Amino acid sequence: MKNFSLKSIHLYHAMFFSAAVPLLALLTVSCSKTEPVSGEVTVYSYDSFVSEWGPGDKIAKAFNEETGLTVNFVNCGSGVQVLSRAVSEKKNPVADVILGIDNNTAPKALAADILDSYSSREADAIINPILRAQLGTQNKLIPFDYSHFAIIFDTRCGLPEPKSLSDLTDPIYTKQLILMDPRTSTPGLGFVAWVRAIYKDDAAFDLFWQGLKPNVLTMAPGWSAGYGLFTKNEAPMVISYTTSPAANYEYDKINYYKALVFDEGHAMQVEAAGILKNAPNKKGARKFIDFLISEKAQSLLPLTQWMYPVNENVVLPESYKKAAAIPVRTVSASPDVMPDAVDRAVSILSK
């Protein structure tokens, strides 16, 4: 099997890993940075966003051309680690902006009271209210991309395609599924949210995970590790995004990876950026948010993030039309039930 090229492996967000990342042209630094440089906007982000093949470098250059300001992208590892870092620095923030909080981690970010409200005229004009609603109503998190979670299936494996989450528990799929840890990975957390949205009753939820456990090959720490195992033939199924096969098609002309669409619906991930309270460069932070959702910046996302841009004026590449699946229904779980859902799922899978 032809694996993802190195370029393809590093194209995604959900966002989520601990591998070292090349230095960006405009000063990507590690989370050990203690002082922002005068006149720059410091943005905490996750490693795939600021990787060699992610959008960070391109966005930094375009932002500099547009505003004359420089961006310091600070790689904090995963989206979960971005939030943890910002919370730990709440009283004396180093960053101006945090990027990579999603609809599943948003409640924790809002509860920590680390963000300032910002009403961007650009956001009000171009962003679908449904996406905004996924992140709360306080204007503290501005969405910049989105996609739905899906099981990616290698159609060459000889197994029947699962038609629902319930089908994933069939013994025919023993050790055939790769998941990500919901405690360290936003796709991992998103999968738990998806399951919880379908199985609202505690007993049914627990029963699903008990049935799924024998079929899980591993629970990887992040998307990069998990999807990498998938492309190395370790298992024919992995949790990812409906847009993931578009990347394989675009760069490797692979057409045998398929995002499975379940009639019961799919959970959505909406990624967002927010301005930190007491940010050292709040004016620059606002300019960055406005630019991030502009057509110029958003046009850089489809072939680097492999997520849908929130700016609907952006024309999608042909690979999205050929290989990105479209869910028939969107489902969601209440943020209130998610901490318990994660504990239940991890407890069952860890036994």
Side-chain angles (χ1 to χ4, degrees):
M1 174 180 178
K2 181 181 178 184
N3 295 331
F4 247 4
S5 65
L6 178 61
K7 184 171 185 177
S8 306
I9 285 277
H10 289 288
L11 285 171
Y12 291 79
H13 41 301
M15 350 177 167
F16 316 119
F17 336 115
S18 59
V21 182
L23 196 66
L24 287 180
L26 292 177
L27 272 179
T28 299
V29 293
S30 73
C31 265
S32 62
K33 179 178 172 66
T34 57
E35 293 278 341
V37 181
S38 177
E40 295 178 342
V41 181
T42 299
V43 180
Y44 280 179
S45 186
Y46 51 87
D47 52 9
S48 64
F49 192 93
V50 299
S51 73
E52 183 180 359
W53 307 114
D57 193 21
K58 295 179 177 66
I59 286 177
K61 290 177 180 177
F63 180 65
N64 179 257
E65 292 169 359
E66 185 85 6
T67 66
L69 297 176
T70 300
V71 177
N72 280 331
F73 276 117
V74 179
N75 172 24
C76 290
S78 70
V80 173
Q81 290 169 308
V82 168
L83 177 57
S84 297
R85 180 76 182 198
V87 170
S88 72
E89 296 173 351
K90 177 179 178 179
K91 294 182 179 180
N92 187 28
V94 173
D96 303 300
V97 175
I98 55 173
L99 184 152
I101 306 304
D102 71 358
N103 48 311
N104 289 312
T105 54
K108 188 173 291 187
L110 296 175
D113 194 28
I114 59 173
L115 300 169
D116 250 359
S117 294
Y118 178 49
S119 251
S120 166
R121 286 179 295 175
E122 285 80 359
D124 294 338
I126 65 172
I127 297 178
N128 190 312
I130 294 175
L131 299 180
R132 295 291 293 271
Q134 290 275 337
L135 298 164
T137 59
Q138 304 173 43
N139 288 328
K140 291 185 175 182
L141 288 166
I142 309 297
F144 66 88
D145 69 21
Y146 69 99
S147 189
H148 286 81
F149 294 108
I151 299 299
I152 309 303
F153 184 76
D154 186 340
T155 59
R156 304 168 305 158
C157 70
L159 294 169
E161 293 182 10
K163 303 297 183 184
S164 66
L165 287 176
S166 177
D167 283 355
L168 295 176
T169 65
D170 191 314
I172 196 173
Y173 301 121
T174 299
K175 300 298 182 185
Q176 301 298 300
L177 175 64
I178 297 167
L179 297 181
M180 288 109 206
D181 193 326
R183 298 164 297 183
T184 58
S185 161
T186 50
L189 182 60
F191 183 71
V192 174
W194 183 10
V195 174
R196 195 50 163 157
I198 302 301
Y199 296 99
K200 295 180 172 61
D201 177 75
D202 286 348
F205 180 81
D206 290 351
L207 189 62
F208 170 84
W209 287 100
Q210 289 162 6
L212 188 69
K213 181 181 177 181
N215 297 351
V216 177
L217 175 68
T218 188
M219 192 163 61
W223 179 90
S224 187
Y227 207 90
L229 290 172
F230 170 71
T231 60
K232 291 176 182 176
N233 290 327
E234 295 297 327
M237 294 189 292
V238 64
I239 180 64
S240 193
Y241 300 88
T242 56
T243 43
S244 296
N248 302 96
Y249 182 85
E250 176 77 23
Y251 288 101
D252 297 319
K253 297 302 180 235
I254 288 175
N255 58 8
Y256 43 78
Y257 293 155
K258 179 180 181 181
L260 301 179
V261 176
F262 298 159
D263 289 342
E264 61 200 344
H266 292 248
M268 177 189 289
Q269 181 181 50
V270 182
E271 288 195 292
I275 299 173
L276 290 166
K277 282 189 173 181
N278 303 314
N281 188 357
K282 197 164 287 188
K283 184 177 180 179
R286 295 188 188 107
K287 286 182 178 292
F288 179 80
I289 294 290
D290 288 341
F291 180 74
L292 182 63
I293 58 176
S294 69
E295 187 172 349
K296 185 173 183 179
Q298 289 275 296
S299 66
L300 299 172
L301 298 180
L303 293 177
T304 55
Q305 279 287 83
W306 294 98
M307 301 278 277
Y308 290 107
V310 297
N311 189 319
E312 296 178 355
N313 296 320
V314 174
V315 177
L316 293 173
E318 189 67 20
S319 53
Y320 276 69
K321 300 173 185 177
K322 289 185 176 294
I326 301 176
V328 296
R329 183 169 172 245
T330 298
V331 297
S332 61
S334 168
D336 296 340
V337 305
M338 285 307 299
D340 178 66
V342 169
D343 288 344
R344 286 173 176 271
V346 170
S347 175
I348 292 170
L349 291 180
S350 300
K351 286 180 181 177

